[in-house]
Amino acid sequence: MSSVREEGRKILAEALGADYLERRDSSTNAFNGPLREFSETAAFGMVWSRPGLERKFRSMLCLAMLTALNRPHELELHLTSAINNGCSVEEIRETLLHTVPYCGIPATLDAIKVAEKFLEEKGLLPMEEAK
């Protein structure tokens, strides 16, 4: 395994948790393996490891881009990363609200629904705050 990929796996484990990486490894097979190796090497080992942007900011960028692309499964995954990388609930909300003029209300509504459910399940968004 290359050192770039090893660095990517380290960042992936820090962002999404060791349990996530273990589940991912146990479900890796000949079909999905090449894509996962690419993700670990390129996305996390080559991009997320670069200096210049804090991981917290990278997480907020991912939330905005995944909202624009309407990718709820990946959005939920990156909400975990955002929390683990130090984003507050307010920063997550403001990042998603910032997508409205660029992505449209329907895309942001979908993202807000995913985030609200995720944050409630994690106990980070009390019901009275959700009003």
Side-chain angles (χ1 to χ4, degrees), residues 33-53:
L35 179 59
R36 290 180 177 184
E37 180 180 345
F38 178 82
S39 171
E40 292 165 1
T41 304
F44 290 92
M46 295 172 72
V47 176
W48 275 79
S49 67
R50 292 180 55 81
L53 295 176

Side-chain angles (χ1 to χ4, degrees), residues 43 47-48 53 55-76 78 92 94-100 102-104 107-108 111:
V47 176
W48 275 79
L53 295 176
R55 286 189 192 173
K56 178 178 171 177
F57 188 70
R58 291 180 190 278
S59 285
M60 290 188 289
L61 286 170
C62 286
L63 297 179
M65 289 185 286
L66 292 167
T67 297
L69 293 169
N70 195 20
R71 297 293 186 255
H73 173 75
E74 288 294 314
L75 179 65
E76 185 173 346
H78 280 275
I92 290 169
E94 292 304 316
T95 299
L96 296 178
L97 286 173
H98 195 76
T99 66
V100 173
Y102 303 98
C103 304
T108 302

